[in-house]
Amino acid sequence: MSTKSIVMRGLLITTALFPASAWAATKEAAHTHKRLGTVSHPATATPTTKPALAVKHKPRSSASLQAKGEELSVSTRRRVRGTEVVVGRALLEKQVPGTNPLKALAQMPGVAFQSDDPQGVDTYSVNLYMHGFSQSEIGMTLDGMPLGEPVYRNYNGLNPVAAISSENVERLDVTQSAGAESVASTNNLGGSINYVSRTPSAKRGGTLLQTFGSNNMWHTFARFDSGELNSSGTKFFTSYMRNETDKWKGGSDQFMQQVNAKLVQPIGQQSKFSAFFDWDNLQQTNYQDYSPYWLKHNGPMIDNFIGTKNGWRNAYNYAIGKNLPSNIYDARDSSYYDSTSMEYDLFGGMSSDLVLADKLHWKTTVYGHDQTVRGTYTNPYGCGSNYNIADPTYTSSDAQYCTNDRVSLNGNPMFEQTKRPKIHRYGILSSVEYNIAHNDLSAGVWYENNKYISNQYAYAVPFPNEGSMWDQYGTPPTQARMLWGQTYNTNTFTAFFSDTYHPVSNVALHFGFKSMLNTSRVQENGNWEPYTGVSAITGGESLTTAYAFLPHISGDWHFLKHHELFFDVSENAHAYSESGYNLTASAMAVSQAAYDSVKSTLRPETAWNYAVGYRYMDHLLQGSVYLYHTDFHNRLQQIVTGGTLSNLLATVQNVGGVTMNGVDAGVTLTPVTGLAISGSISYNHATYNNNMTSQGTLYHTAGKQVVDYPQLMYKLRASYAWRKAEVFVDSSFMGQRNYSYTGDYKLPSYWLTNAGLRYDLGNIGQYHKGLDFMKHAVVSFNVYNIANVKYAATVGQNGFLMSDPQGQNQSILLGAPRQFFGSIQIDF
């Protein structure tokens, strides 16, 4: 199996799959590597003795490449997945420490990353799109271990920021649009992202990193590498990360801490055993859900009352409509006391990576994951709409005015609505690779059992004059009522086979397929009808996704000296997703009546993806064009009714198909040493094929652009490296996005610009002999949102309305204003 990796420094540049990317100012040479089972890493891969595609540049040593660092490599593996984007460690290090690695992908054409915080670690807000596919349609793994759907209400995995500290990520291997049949995922309609963890260092040492920033941001990372402990090469690392910041508006903060560890035990010369461990704790106070109408009438600074002066009393006043500011529209939904997320994960696995013969490679991984989550918000609708008090005493005597106590348990108009999901999942992956003649053969299987429990409770809260609100991250009170509950049990089995054939050295033809069998059964744990408004939620039902043959065909041709053509065609399927009642577009997370009304029309989501591209690369100019077409069938959408969180009801419908056509084009110039300038444009035309019906009303959605994804995006970036300093500026344009299925309200477009400066201090011993134990140090400074633009970041976290001409749906999160960060990293 041959791999051609192109190493780039300086500016991030687009990839094999996408329009033109940035090259290193130093014009690093390309190397050909050979490595079974993974994408080769330029700094560590062993050169082959039989390169498939020799590159006519003078090669540099691995040590030289690692010293200069690589940002992004383009892997054109002739084995699977056609071309592939590899985001390297050097690019990740240019972000603010602790930043979500997915944010680096936002610099690529066709990729949109959104979050209401500058680091992109607020799990409630993180949202990623690649070529029109949302993050719930992108498979994600860590060292091959499945992370499930990387969404806030993850039912079969964990968010990548909870799986591994960003400082421990070596690279991201990214495939987009076309499928990757070998990935352990049941949702990779639009590609996959594999996080690759850093290998423990062969030398004993460590890293200490400290970052300070706006809003009392404090990020600490410490890592210890054991070095090789014996003659066989046993080595490990362990690390601790702590990230805390005040919210940029409102009160309270967002906190997370994490422990990672990795052990590598070589076996002979080429095989190895490895183990990875993750423990994490997230305690994040979320930002207020907004509507465009609120933004227009109330301004951008409304937020939950938690952590503010007299917050509990003020929240109570809003709930009963008293002592309100004159400009407040829709008092109950204008602000809540709190909205919080708390999560604990134990995640890890063990792998054997064995070279059984010269051309035979076998890898097996077993893994497990336990997750406990608690998500809260203070609901002001405990008394429905029938709460009216002229002169509140803020004591339990006011309970008499709660004439329709649905859930609050004590006559208080407010109650703490708390989701308490749990995940218990275990699995095994095994694959073999065999190289014979001109063929690279591979085959593998994956099995997982997942038990997902999703229950929601109501907890009584005190009246303002009779006690303080309890700690959302502490022990909840004993007085509670289950509002609803469901338990899912899911078994997943997939298998794949592929062959990449090399008729000549510069041509690769690939054929593979994936088989999938996924069965999920749900049980009802409870249903409090005064709250849900339905007599039963879905229980005693099951759904199966079964496909014996999901094909993938691709080809790659390097012709002339700097030119390359490729194509990629695949079919992929998305197993039915899961969630608690009414929370997402999950087919069984609805009332029993709603499920019965649509179950005969439910089908798994599928997509046929077609891609073709051309790339030109030399030392001064790199350019590329990438065209794609997608036929999306049986798209399941959550249709909500009601414009506030008080009365949202949801159904999940098969809304038919979506047809998507898109093109990316870009260019990168490296005119002089150290300078790189790149720009790209992305156009996406994704429209619904059918009109939709909701509650008996026909909506004309056929031909309308899909919600939340823009037709136009522009990306610009410039970087300059001089001696030990490097400075960069990047800017991106997000076009208009539809805020309803009919497109009768559109979110405005905006530009977002960031900048950064890094300086390499080298060995501190050169400044003082007593400090030579500090082998390497780097200081950096970053500015986020330089122009202080006000914009809608995450969209659709509470679903979309069919029609919303005034933008009253409460389903956007606002982006952070201008923020400053400074860091210092010391390696020992």
Side-chain angles (χ1 to χ4, degrees):
M1 175 184 62
S2 61
T3 300
K4 176 184 174 184
S5 295
I6 300 170
V7 180
M8 301 177 226
R9 287 188 69 247
L11 170 67
L12 167 69
I13 175 171
T14 317
T15 59
L17 208 56
F18 290 99
S21 330
W23 276 76
T26 53
K27 310 178 184 68
E28 297 287 8
H31 282 243
T32 300
H33 298 285
K34 180 178 182 180
R35 185 171 179 177
L36 295 172
T38 63
V39 179
S40 65
H41 180 235
T44 59
T46 303
T48 65
T49 57
K50 184 181 178 181
L53 290 173
V55 181
K56 298 180 180 179
H57 296 308
K58 181 181 178 181
R60 305 200 181 200
S61 68
S62 295
S64 172
L65 288 176
Q66 190 166 12
K68 292 181 176 296
E70 110 285 356
E71 284 200 354
L72 184 149
S73 65
V74 178
S75 172
T76 51
R77 294 177 11 168
R78 284 28 172 212
R79 191 180 141 269
V80 293
R81 300 197 287 271
T83 54
E84 184 176 79
V85 181
V86 180
V87 179
R89 180 71 206 153
L91 173 64
L92 299 177
E93 287 178 340
K94 288 180 175 57
Q95 300 188 113
V96 176
T99 294
N100 190 332
L102 292 179
K103 197 169 182 180
L105 299 181
Q107 299 176 48
M108 300 179 185
V111 178
F113 179 88
Q114 300 287 357
S115 180
D116 58 13
D117 71 300
Q119 289 179 284
V121 295
D122 183 348
T123 57
Y124 179 57
S125 177
V126 167
N127 195 15
L128 176 75
Y129 279 91
M130 295 199 309
H131 278 172
F133 289 96
S134 70
Q135 60 193 14
S136 63
E137 298 154 349
I138 300 167
M140 292 201 187
T141 57
L142 170 59
D143 293 337
M145 296 180 291
L147 300 178
E149 293 193 20
V151 293
Y152 173 61
R153 298 180 179 99
N154 193 320
Y155 62 90
N156 62 349
L158 70 167
N159 195 294
V161 300
I164 185 171
S165 300
S166 60
E167 291 87 354
N168 290 328
V169 177
E170 181 63 38
R171 67 182 193 273
L172 304 181
D173 297 340
V174 185
T175 64
Q176 303 182 44
S177 285
E181 65 264 31
S182 61
V183 68
S185 170
T186 58
N187 64 291
N188 57 316
L189 288 176
S192 62
I193 300 173
N194 181 41
Y195 285 66
V196 179
S197 62
R198 291 174 61 191
T199 299
S201 173
K203 293 184 178 181
R204 180 173 298 179
T207 296
L208 183 62
L209 187 155
Q210 184 63 59
T211 302
F212 308 92
S214 299
N215 304 302
N216 296 317
M217 184 270 193
W218 180 280
H219 176 85
T220 303
F221 175 80
R223 168 169 159 150
F224 170 73
D225 284 88
S226 68
E228 294 186 351
L229 299 174
N230 49 43
S231 59
S232 68
T234 306
K235 55 186 177 181
F236 71 87
F237 79 74
T238 183
S239 69
Y240 173 77
M241 183 276 294
R242 183 183 187 277
N243 195 93
E244 185 170 14
T245 179
D246 292 345
K247 292 165 59 185
W248 57 265
K249 67 173 180 175
S252 196
D253 62 3
Q254 296 190 326
F255 168 83
M256 63 183 299
Q257 58 181 338
Q258 190 169 46
V259 174
N260 288 159
K262 185 175 181 178
L263 169 72
V264 175
Q265 173 60 63
I267 302 173
Q269 295 298 315
Q270 301 182 67
S271 302
K272 66 179 179 179
F273 169 85
S274 62
F276 178 85
F277 170 79
D278 168 71
W279 172 87
D280 65 84
N281 167 219
L282 280 70
Q283 298 180 15
Q284 298 180 334
T285 302
N286 307 132
Y287 289 90
Q288 171 72 37
D289 297 301
Y290 250 73
S291 72
Y293 193 91
W294 286 5
L295 183 59
K296 178 180 178 181
H297 289 83
N298 297 341
M301 297 309 293
I302 290 178
D303 202 65
N304 304 316
F305 283 115
I306 185 172
T308 63
K309 185 178 180 180
N310 298 321
W312 182 230
R313 183 181 296 270
N314 290 333
Y316 184 89
N317 282 335
Y318 272 60
I320 65 175
K322 299 298 179 182
N323 302 328
L324 300 177
S326 60
N327 67 327
I328 289 297
Y329 157 80
D330 192 3
R332 286 197 184 184
D333 272 329
S334 287
S335 190
Y336 291 81
Y337 175 72
D338 71 62
S339 174
T340 68
S341 302
M342 182 173 68
E343 176 181 330
Y344 290 93
D345 290 285
L346 286 173
F347 171 68
M350 298 180 292
S351 298
S352 62
D353 197 348
L354 307 176
V355 177
L356 303 179
D358 181 46
K359 298 181 179 181
L360 181 61
H361 179 217
W362 177 31
K363 183 175 182 179
T364 299
T365 301
V366 294
Y367 65 90
H369 174 215
D370 265 36
Q371 181 183 85
T372 300
V373 176
R374 190 166 81 211
T376 73
Y377 83 91
T378 309
N379 191 320
Y381 290 88
C383 298
S385 59
N386 301 318
Y387 195 88
N388 187 14
I389 183 169
D391 185 19
T393 60
Y394 306 108
T395 66
S396 54
S397 63
D398 297 327
Q400 60 182 310
Y401 296 97
C402 187
T403 58
N404 180 21
D405 187 350
R406 299 189 304 161
V407 288
S408 71
L409 298 98
N410 63 352
N412 194 316
M414 307 177 75
F415 68 96
E416 194 74 353
Q417 184 170 315
T418 304
K419 296 182 291 293
R420 306 195 70 170
K422 293 184 179 180
I423 293 175
H424 308 287
R425 66 186 182 105
Y426 306 93
I428 183 171
L429 308 99
S430 189
S431 63
V432 294
E433 295 182 352
Y434 184 61
N435 301 78
I436 183 172
H438 298 282
N439 297 274
D440 299 329
L441 305 173
S442 63
V445 295
W446 168 46
Y447 170 76
E448 179 182 276
N449 175 260
N450 178 40
K451 183 178 182 180
Y452 171 59
I453 305 167
S454 184
N455 296 332
Q456 182 156 261
Y457 298 86
Y459 291 91
V461 297
F463 286 83
N465 281 359
E466 295 181 343
S468 300
M469 184 59 176
W470 45 277
D471 181 6
Q472 282 65 38
Y473 302 117
T475 303
T478 57
Q479 189 178 9
R481 171 183 286 134
M482 178 182 280
L483 300 178
W484 51 256
Q486 291 178 297
T487 295
Y488 296 82
N489 194 283
T490 304
N491 288 287
T492 299
F493 176 81
T494 68
F496 77 91
F497 171 81
S498 68
D499 177 25
T500 301
Y501 175 61
H502 308 271
V504 292
S505 62
N506 62 337
V507 174
L509 301 174
H510 171 83
F511 171 76
F513 72 91
K514 177 180 181 178
S515 301
M516 179 196 304
L517 178 61
N518 174 278
T519 299
S520 181
R521 184 171 182 83
V522 66
Q523 296 293 333
E524 178 191 302
N525 301 334
N527 174 48
W528 180 248
E529 187 172 345
Y531 173 79
T532 64
V534 299
S535 60
I537 62 177
T538 306
E541 304 284 353
S542 65
L543 288 171
T544 296
T545 303
Y547 288 90
F549 187 75
L550 295 169
H552 180 203
I553 303 170
S554 64
D556 190 85
W557 178 32
H558 287 253
F559 65 101
L560 301 178
K561 184 177 181 180
H562 302 292
H563 304 266
E564 180 182 3
L565 285 172
F566 62 88
F567 74 89
D568 209 309
V569 179
S570 70
E571 182 186 21
N572 289 299
H574 189 321
Y576 294 103
S577 61
E578 304 166 13
S579 79
Y581 175 70
N582 266 6
L583 295 181
T584 67
S586 172
M588 294 188 288
V590 296
S591 69
Q592 186 68 55
Y595 177 78
D596 291 340
S597 69
V598 300
K599 64 180 179 181
S600 62
T601 65
L602 292 175
R603 301 289 184 274
E605 296 177 323
T606 60
W608 273 98
N609 296 309
Y610 308 85
V612 61
Y614 163 77
R615 182 170 61 242
Y616 175 84
M617 297 176 295
D618 71 14
H619 64 290
L620 292 178
L621 172 67
Q622 303 84 45
S624 63
V625 178
Y626 176 74
L627 299 95
Y628 59 94
H629 171 84
T630 296
D631 292 318
F632 201 148
H633 303 288
N634 303 312
R635 185 151 184 161
L636 298 180
Q637 296 280 185
Q638 183 185 47
I639 312 299
V640 299
T641 59
T644 68
L645 292 180
S646 64
N647 61 348
L648 287 180
L649 294 175
T651 59
V652 175
Q653 297 178 199
N654 184 337
V655 299
V658 170
T659 299
M660 182 162 60
N661 294 287
V663 59
D664 297 333
V667 63
T668 297
L669 300 174
T670 52
V672 297
T673 299
L675 176 65
I677 303 170
S678 69
S680 67
I681 181 173
S682 301
Y683 174 78
N684 176 282
H685 184 68
T687 58
Y688 299 108
N689 296 343
N690 312 93
N691 292 325
M692 301 183 197
T693 300
S694 179
Q695 294 186 319
T697 301
L698 176 68
Y699 293 90
H700 296 281
T701 53
K704 303 294 185 180
Q705 180 79 7
V706 299
V707 293
D708 194 20
Y709 192 72
Q711 284 194 326
L712 280 175
M713 289 190 291
Y714 306 104
K715 308 287 177 68
L716 301 171
R717 184 176 171 98
S719 69
Y720 183 68
W722 184 72
R723 295 186 179 178
K724 297 182 178 181
E726 182 178 2
V727 62
F728 71 87
V729 177
D730 64 67
S731 188
S732 60
F733 172 81
M734 174 73 70
Q736 287 186 333
R737 293 170 285 172
N738 278 356
Y739 195 58
S740 66
Y741 290 105
T742 57
D744 54 3
Y745 192 92
K746 299 180 184 295
L747 296 173
S749 59
Y750 65 90
W751 281 94
L752 189 65
T753 303
N754 311 304
L757 171 68
R758 286 168 55 88
Y759 188 81
D760 189 337
L761 296 171
N763 190 320
I764 303 301
Q766 64 183 306
Y767 306 105
H768 190 285
K769 292 183 179 180
L771 300 177
D772 60 358
F773 65 94
M774 300 182 187
K775 304 301 182 184
H776 187 239
V778 176
V779 294
S780 62
F781 179 74
N782 293 75
V783 184
Y784 172 84
N785 191 2
I786 292 175
N788 204 28
V789 174
K790 295 179 175 61
Y791 66 99
T794 309
V795 176
Q797 71 275 12
N798 292 313
F800 297 95
L801 299 180
M802 280 292 189
S803 176
D804 187 17
Q806 295 185 10
Q808 293 181 309
N809 184 22
Q810 191 177 343
S811 198
I812 64 174
L813 293 166
L814 303 183
R818 184 187 299 117
Q819 307 276 280
F820 301 92
F821 303 93
S823 313
I824 181 167
Q825 176 178 327
I826 300 175
D827 298 322
F828 300 95

